[in-house]
Amino acid sequence: MAPNIWIFHILSAIIWAVSSQSLSDTPSKCCGEKGDRGPPGLQGSPGIPGFTGQPGFPGIKGERGLPGHDGFPGMPGVPGYGGVKGDKGESTVSELEELKKQITLMDGQLSALKSDVQNLASAQKKALLFSKVTFTEKKLFATNGFEGDYKETKSICSVAGGRLATPQNAEENEAVLSIVLHYNKMPYLGIHDIETKGSYKYLNGELIGYTNWNTEEPNSKHDGDDCVAMFTNGKWNVINCKENHLVICEF
């Protein structure tokens, strides 16, 4: 078997030598010369955009800066045009005088009103002594039902702080008449012509203004007919001052 092994080795060496020669005679194709550069390829499609990131947290607020310096003052503006001269005003002296007069008048009216209120309050207190009372805007009429002659009735009213009823307008005449009708008696009025016959006056001496005489009155036929009374029809009649009649006082 030894000769066979040697033969095998010899054949293998021959085959290898022949194969090596054949390869060396064949031109090599692995490393040829570099060829020309080919044309550029087509541009690829753009890629898909990425996702937007989340906003970050706000930063910490910085400290307040120092105030700046005051700026320089600006130039003065151009003066405007002068306005149109107004009309001459009227003097207010006359208006002030008129205002003073009105204030003085109002003060007087206020004082008079205050006096009227005080007088009415006082009259109401005095009238409490009487049993029958009627009112008008400025007067109060009252009676206690007593009767007497002219001097007595006048004295009773004076002591009470009033005076005999003296109607000076239709309203006051109606107020007195309401008391007359209640008692069905004639009262003396504060009117007479004792000093001068036919010249009828109030108790304070002034000539009468308002009148409400009965038919054919005033008529003084007899001595002593110097006083005036109211009948139950509200009319005035001249009577004798010594007769007894109802006492009606005014306050």
Side-chain angles (χ1 to χ4, degrees):
M1 290 183 62
N4 290 336
I5 292 174
W6 284 105
I7 292 170
F8 175 76
H9 284 296
I10 293 170
L11 289 175
S12 293
I14 292 169
I15 293 171
W16 180 81
V18 173
S19 296
S20 297
Q21 184 65 36
S22 296
L23 290 174
S24 61
D25 293 338
T26 302
S28 176
K29 295 181 178 180
C30 66
C31 298
E33 294 182 1
K34 185 176 182 180
D36 296 331
R37 185 174 183 180
L42 297 177
Q43 184 177 356
S45 300
I48 300 172
F51 295 102
T52 303
Q54 295 294 328
F57 294 102
I60 300 174
K61 185 177 180 181
E63 297 181 357
R64 185 174 182 179
L66 298 175
H69 297 289
D70 294 336
F72 294 102
M75 298 294 291
V78 179
Y81 296 102
V84 180
K85 186 176 181 180
D87 297 331
K88 184 177 181 180
E90 297 181 359
S91 174
T92 58
V93 175
S94 58
E95 296 179 359
L96 290 175
E97 291 297 328
E98 182 63 25
L99 182 59
K100 288 180 181 179
K101 291 179 181 179
Q102 292 179 1
I103 293 175
T104 301
L105 179 61
M106 292 176 63
D107 286 341
Q109 292 174 342
L110 184 59
S111 297
L113 179 61
K114 183 178 180 180
S115 177
D116 289 342
V117 172
Q118 292 175 342
N119 292 338
L120 180 60
S122 177
Q124 289 175 334
K125 291 179 180 179
K126 296 172 183 176
L128 294 176
L129 301 173
F130 297 86
S131 57
K132 179 65 177 177
V133 179
T134 58
F135 297 87
T136 63
E137 183 179 355
K138 294 184 178 181
K139 290 183 180 180
L140 182 151
F141 299 96
T143 183
N144 52 14
F146 294 164
E147 295 182 31
D149 61 23
Y150 177 72
K151 289 183 178 179
E152 290 173 339
T153 55
K154 187 172 68 170
S155 177
I156 290 172
C157 290
S158 179
V159 171
R163 63 182 180 180
L164 278 175
T166 309
Q168 294 182 307
N169 53 53
E171 180 188 12
E172 294 178 2
N173 200 79
E174 287 296 321
V176 175
L177 178 60
S178 66
I179 297 178
V180 172
L181 296 176
H182 179 78
Y183 287 92
N184 196 28
K185 295 180 181 179
M186 293 190 306
Y188 275 110
L189 299 181
I191 300 171
H192 64 85
D193 68 344
I194 295 174
E195 286 83 8
T196 304
K197 205 69 173 176
S199 180
Y200 290 90
K201 300 178 181 179
Y202 297 123
L203 296 177
N204 60 6
E206 295 180 1
L207 291 174
I208 62 174
Y210 168 80
T211 62
N212 194 36
W213 294 112
N214 208 347
T215 305
E216 298 183 0
E217 293 289 346
N219 187 359
S220 300
K221 298 179 180 179
H222 308 285
D223 291 339
D225 292 349
D226 299 319
C227 293
V228 179
M230 180 185 289
F231 278 16
T232 54
N233 62 357
K235 297 295 183 178
W236 301 354
N237 293 267
V238 175
I239 60 173
N240 192 291
C241 296
K242 293 184 179 180
E243 297 177 6
N244 288 336
H245 291 291
L246 182 66
V247 180
I248 299 179
C249 305
E250 71 175 36
F251 300 91

